[in-house]
Amino acid sequence: MMNSKVALLYVLIIMSGRLAQSLKPRRSISFSDVKLKLFKEPDFNGLSSLLVREDIGLLFIGARGKVITLRLDDIAEKTGEIEWRVTSGEKSACVLKGKSKEDCENYITTLHTLNDSRIFTCGTRAFKPLCTHLLFKGGKVSMETTTSEGRGRAPFDPHEDFVSLMNENTLYAAGSVDFMGRQAFLRTGRNYLYTEDKISWFNDPIMISINVAETSKSSENREDDNLFVFFTEIAVEERRSNLRLSRVARLCKGDLGGFVVSEKKWTSFLKARLDCPFGEKGSISLLQSVFLVNDENNVTESLFYATFTLSPPFNSTSSSCSQSAVCAYKLSDIQQVYRGNLLEEIISGGWVKDLGKESYTYPRSCINDEMRAKNVKTSLDIPDSTLVFAKNHPLMEGGVMPITGRPLLVQSTAQFSKIVVDKVTSLDGQHYNVMFISNNSGWLQKAVWSGDDGGRIIEELQLFQDPQPIRFLQLSSRSGQLYSATRTAVAQLSVRDCSRYTSCADCLTARDPYCGWDRLRGLCAAVAGASNLSMIQNLTDGDVGICPNSHLSKKIIDIHLTVDVAQFLPCSPDTNLPISWSFSGNILEPGPRHILLSQGLVLTPSFTDEGLYTCETVEVVKGRKHRMAVIRYHVKLTKERKEREVNGSQGTITYILASVCVLFGMIIIYACWKQKREKHVGSSSESYANTS
């Protein structure tokens, strides 16, 4: 019988093993073991924007009532702080309108670099957005005294999902445009445009991302550059009420609005459903974050990486709503959807496929050489009939599917939030897109996807000690630094840190595009700028056969056990890989005396169980099985118990042999007695016969 402590431990381990059913990261690193730099102050709260300035080596943080600057190479060092607060009168007026005192502060939500190196800065300012500029001179940051209207450039509500993008000194923004929270997509400046105030365009949207694609560089007919707006909204085309879907809208960057119809309005707005199929049937994937990876050789081959969480089916009690996924979309596939069929709204409120009575090229295509040849050089030259049609037909019939038809990876342990992607070049010159995905618990996951073996999570790191959503991710590819932020703290992490791989085998089987084994220094290091002569790397199958010969092995631990008393032999690898046990060189199979667990072995030994027990991690890469020893135990039985067992066994054997001998003797005696009796009976009968 195993004692109560071991039995309890056994039950707890079994329970913990059953809880983890989803795709696991190869390695998990807790907060105390992550090499990072933190910025946090006692009164620091309400972080609402983040800007990386590699040219001046500063990280700008927009927060409640101030802008803070930190050193880009070490954010623990604060270089400056500029206050920008509301007056008591502004706050009082805001509170009288029903807003809380906290929300009536000035939250700096917009930080963008202009061509002249100034920083365009806007804040909510007690629900009356205002903008100004930050200047950097002589190593110091200052704020201009002049201000401008912030409506449409910053949100009114500090809690609102508001996104903006600065491109060629032009600001594009998606979010609220008034105190009541009316939503729109705007271009501010000289060519000011905004979306139609129609439910068919935006229906209670949550804005996610804005991107510019220079499609004219790869277009055969010099089609105008594209703008993409990602959001979720209540679907107008679905009969089911309050069904929220993910969308991507495409607009033409050169859109100038209409001459009479749609004056100061976007004329090229089209939107389509964005699909990322995962979870049980009927589940809806909701967009959380988007990151564009440009293809410098062909813009149309550029990829949008996006994170999704799951909205469960109607009336479902399934736990699948905790699942998250990453899907990727090719720009050319998105463009193709906009060349398809449009939906038309009918009187009853439903939406049906447009029968093609009006087969306009615009806005399915932005202005191109074919249109220019017909003297249609801008949207101001588009006929009114076309503009009216475009205004009433913003919705595409088709949806955008991911490049693989399914997610790159799916996980159910935490909800994904933000994503950034780094383009990494390996030692052999191949290119890899490494994904960094944050979640709502303060963790970051590093993942890679390839067509050969699908998606895999190389590692996950706990960036913040207290569980909290990561709201911002910014990557400096030049320095290899990743900056993440919650509402109360900022963390800096080197994406090229390879020190967690402690051996050549571990370094290579991890297949981390950033890392390789340095044969001269005998350690795992970043491959960026390294020579192929001293560094080895194998991202194809992680073959460790190219590793230098090593005589290092895991130390053998002597352990003395007692016969028939259960003992737990722990095995805790620094990875999340499954483990395997061997006994004296042979794979150990589960049995009554050997209970194999995910974190160790429960051994109830007999005197035949003495020997060497080895725990190994098992990793299969493209059919190749890699085993690495974690710990070894040399199990011995205590001497007196063993002698007692041996003596007892010998006594038992003697007793059995004696019993057999006695039994055998009794059988012989009985056989002899029976034979004599049969002879005696036979002579008596014969005599009786003769007498008669």
Side-chain angles (χ1 to χ4, degrees):
M1 293 288 291
M2 67 174 69
N3 61 51
S4 58
K5 290 184 178 179
V6 174
L8 177 60
L9 178 62
Y10 169 54
V11 172
L12 291 175
I13 293 173
I14 289 293
M15 289 178 63
S16 66
R18 288 177 178 171
L19 290 175
Q21 298 295 327
S22 64
L23 176 65
K24 284 185 178 181
R26 185 178 184 273
R27 178 181 266 106
S28 300
I29 301 104
S30 60
F31 178 78
S32 59
D33 296 323
V34 178
K35 294 181 180 178
L36 52 75
K37 296 172 183 177
L38 280 174
F39 172 77
K40 189 174 184 179
E41 290 183 338
D43 61 341
F44 182 70
N45 198 354
L47 191 150
S48 44
S49 56
L50 206 66
L51 174 66
V52 173
R53 283 290 300 267
E54 292 180 323
D55 56 332
I56 57 178
L58 291 178
L59 179 68
F60 288 78
I61 301 171
R64 184 176 60 190
K66 56 187 173 183
V67 176
I68 296 173
T69 55
L70 310 175
R71 271 185 53 187
L72 204 56
D73 57 351
D74 186 358
I75 65 168
E77 184 175 329
K78 183 177 176 180
T79 63
E81 177 177 317
I82 299 174
E83 290 193 353
W84 193 19
R85 303 187 183 278
V86 297
T87 65
S88 57
E90 288 173 324
K91 183 180 290 188
S92 298
C94 177
V95 172
L96 285 175
K97 293 179 181 179
K99 305 299 180 181
S100 68
K101 288 184 178 181
E102 185 177 355
D103 290 349
C104 288
E105 298 282 355
N106 186 29
Y107 291 84
I108 316 304
T109 58
T110 304
L111 291 171
H112 291 295
T113 303
L114 298 174
N115 291 345
D116 59 7
S117 292
R118 289 185 303 166
I119 297 176
F120 183 70
T121 308
C122 303
T124 57
R125 201 166 180 84
F127 284 76
K128 287 186 177 181
L130 201 65
C131 298
T132 186
H133 295 90
L134 297 177
L135 307 173
F136 180 77
K137 283 186 179 180
K140 293 185 178 180
V141 178
S142 60
M143 181 177 286
E144 289 184 349
T145 56
T146 57
T147 59
S148 60
E149 170 68 40
R151 179 175 176 173
R153 300 172 173 181
F156 283 72
D157 190 330
H159 302 293
E160 180 192 334
D161 293 293
F162 187 94
V163 292
S164 59
L165 171 74
M166 186 69 71
N167 180 261
E168 297 178 344
N169 273 13
T170 298
L171 183 73
Y172 300 90
S176 63
V177 293
D178 57 27
F179 187 84
M180 301 304 294
R182 184 166 57 92
Q183 302 282 310
F185 171 66
L186 306 96
R187 180 177 64 204
T188 63
R190 186 180 61 180
N191 295 318
Y192 179 86
L193 287 182
Y194 60 98
T195 45
E196 294 282 353
D197 189 17
K198 291 169 64 84
I199 290 179
S200 59
W201 283 45
F202 285 129
N203 187 17
D204 189 23
I206 297 175
M207 303 300 186
I208 306 294
S209 177
I210 305 171
N211 293 272
V212 173
E214 297 179 328
T215 48
S216 58
K217 292 182 177 180
S218 298
S219 174
E220 294 180 357
N221 58 5
R222 293 192 305 136
E223 182 180 344
D224 187 19
D225 291 342
N226 289 180
L227 292 166
F228 294 98
V229 183
F230 293 86
F231 59 100
T232 67
E233 68 169 350
I234 304 299
V236 293
E237 74 273 25
E238 295 289 339
R239 297 292 184 181
R240 183 174 138 194
S241 62
N242 297 323
L243 176 65
R244 185 167 289 274
L245 295 179
S246 300
R247 303 280 201 201
V248 54
R250 189 235 60 197
L251 304 95
C252 303
K253 185 181 176 184
D255 195 339
L256 298 177
F259 186 73
V260 176
V261 176
S262 299
E263 183 181 6
K264 297 297 181 182
K265 302 286 184 66
W266 291 99
T267 65
S268 55
F269 180 91
L270 289 175
K271 63 180 181 179
R273 188 179 68 255
L274 192 69
D275 293 329
C276 181
F278 69 104
E280 63 181 285
K281 186 177 181 180
S283 297
I284 303 297
S285 51
L286 295 179
L287 185 66
Q288 302 297 314
S289 177
V290 178
F291 189 89
L292 172 61
V293 178
N294 279 304
D295 189 313
E296 297 175 357
N297 299 319
N298 186 351
V299 175
T300 59
E301 293 295 306
S302 300
L303 293 176
F304 292 94
Y305 287 81
T307 56
F308 291 82
T309 58
L310 208 60
S311 176
F314 186 65
N315 291 333
S316 173
T317 58
S318 171
S319 60
S320 63
C321 59
S322 63
Q323 286 187 331
S324 294
V326 175
C327 279
Y329 306 87
K330 189 181 293 185
L331 194 151
S332 59
D333 291 340
I334 298 177
Q335 288 181 314
Q336 188 61 38
V337 170
Y338 291 112
R339 297 187 179 101
N341 296 318
L342 294 162
L343 291 181
E344 184 173 20
E345 188 175 13
I346 54 179
I347 297 176
S348 62
W351 288 75
V352 298
K353 177 181 175 180
D354 176 58
L355 298 178
K357 296 177 182 178
E358 305 288 355
S359 56
Y360 298 113
T361 302
Y362 187 88
R364 288 185 176 92
S365 170
C366 296
I367 303 295
N368 55 35
D369 282 345
E370 184 180 347
M371 297 181 194
R372 295 183 189 104
K374 298 177 181 179
N375 290 323
V376 179
K377 298 180 179 180
T378 72
S379 60
L380 296 173
D381 302 320
I382 299 291
D384 289 349
S385 58
T386 303
L387 297 182
V388 171
F389 179 84
K391 177 180 178 180
N392 295 322
H393 295 78
L395 186 57
M396 305 305 301
E397 179 189 30
V400 182
M401 290 295 292
I403 55 174
T404 57
R406 56 186 175 83
L408 303 184
L409 56 91
V410 178
Q411 201 181 38
S412 59
T413 54
Q415 287 196 328
F416 290 159
S417 52
K418 304 298 181 181
I419 183 172
V420 296
V421 182
D422 193 17
K423 298 169 72 173
V424 182
T425 303
S426 61
L427 277 178
D428 60 3
Q430 297 297 313
H431 299 290
Y432 294 84
N433 289 341
V434 181
M435 299 173 278
F436 295 93
I437 311 154
S438 66
N439 65 33
N440 288 335
S441 301
W443 287 73
L444 179 80
Q445 298 187 340
K446 180 200 289 187
V448 174
W449 183 88
S450 66
D452 294 334
D453 55 354
R456 56 189 176 88
I457 302 173
I458 299 172
E459 61 183 3
E460 63 175 357
L461 306 97
Q462 186 183 12
L463 302 187
F464 299 95
Q465 193 166 16
D466 300 324
Q468 53 188 313
I470 294 177
R471 304 184 68 245
F472 298 97
L473 278 183
Q474 292 280 339
L475 178 68
S476 172
S477 295
R478 183 189 302 177
S479 61
Q481 300 294 314
L482 183 72
Y483 305 92
S484 59
T486 66
R487 282 198 172 274
T488 59
V490 185
Q492 175 187 352
L493 175 77
S494 171
V495 297
R496 301 170 186 166
D497 181 14
C498 304
S499 62
R500 288 182 288 276
Y501 309 119
T502 56
S503 68
C504 179
D506 188 26
C507 183
L508 266 57
T509 54
R511 294 183 295 153
D512 187 332
Y514 288 105
C515 303
W517 185 256
D518 191 323
R519 291 179 289 190
L520 297 179
R521 294 186 292 167
L523 52 80
C524 195
V527 299
S531 169
N532 288 5
L533 298 176
S534 62
M535 189 80 71
I536 55 176
Q537 186 185 49
N538 190 334
L539 301 180
T540 305
D541 58 10
D543 182 14
V544 299
I546 60 176
C547 281
N549 291 330
S550 175
H551 299 290
L552 297 177
S553 60
K554 292 292 178 181
K555 182 180 178 181
I556 298 176
I557 300 173
D558 289 330
I559 183 169
H560 297 272
L561 303 183
T562 304
V563 173
D564 291 334
V565 176
Q567 178 67 42
F568 178 64
L569 305 183
C571 179
S572 301
D574 60 0
T575 64
N576 297 323
L577 298 171
I579 61 174
S580 173
W581 285 87
S582 63
F583 171 53
S584 298
N586 298 315
I587 299 297
L588 191 64
E589 299 295 339
R593 308 185 80 85
H594 311 104
I595 301 174
L596 306 180
L597 306 174
S598 60
Q599 299 172 10
L601 166 68
V602 176
L603 176 63
T604 310
S606 68
F607 76 98
T608 59
D609 289 318
E610 279 190 327
L612 185 64
Y613 290 80
T614 302
C615 176
E616 299 172 313
T617 57
V618 181
E619 187 170 13
V620 179
V621 181
K622 294 184 179 178
R624 184 190 295 269
K625 188 173 290 187
H626 301 281
R627 292 180 176 273
M628 284 186 283
V630 178
I631 193 168
R632 289 189 171 99
Y633 296 99
H634 188 193
V635 173
K636 301 178 181 179
L637 296 179
T638 55
K639 187 175 181 181
E640 59 180 64
R641 181 76 187 202
K642 182 180 177 182
E643 289 176 350
R644 191 184 310 158
E645 180 180 311
V646 172
N647 292 336
S649 299
Q650 290 175 345
T652 301
I653 294 172
T654 302
Y655 173 77
I656 293 173
L657 290 174
S659 299
V660 171
C661 290
V662 171
L663 181 61
F664 186 68
M666 292 178 67
I667 292 173
I668 292 175
I669 293 171
Y670 173 76
C672 292
W673 173 81
K674 186 176 182 182
Q675 187 177 11
K676 288 180 180 180
R677 179 176 174 81
E678 287 176 350
K679 288 181 179 180
H680 174 73
V681 171
S683 59
S684 299
S685 301
E686 194 175 297
S687 157
Y688 176 76
N690 292 337
T691 303
S692 55

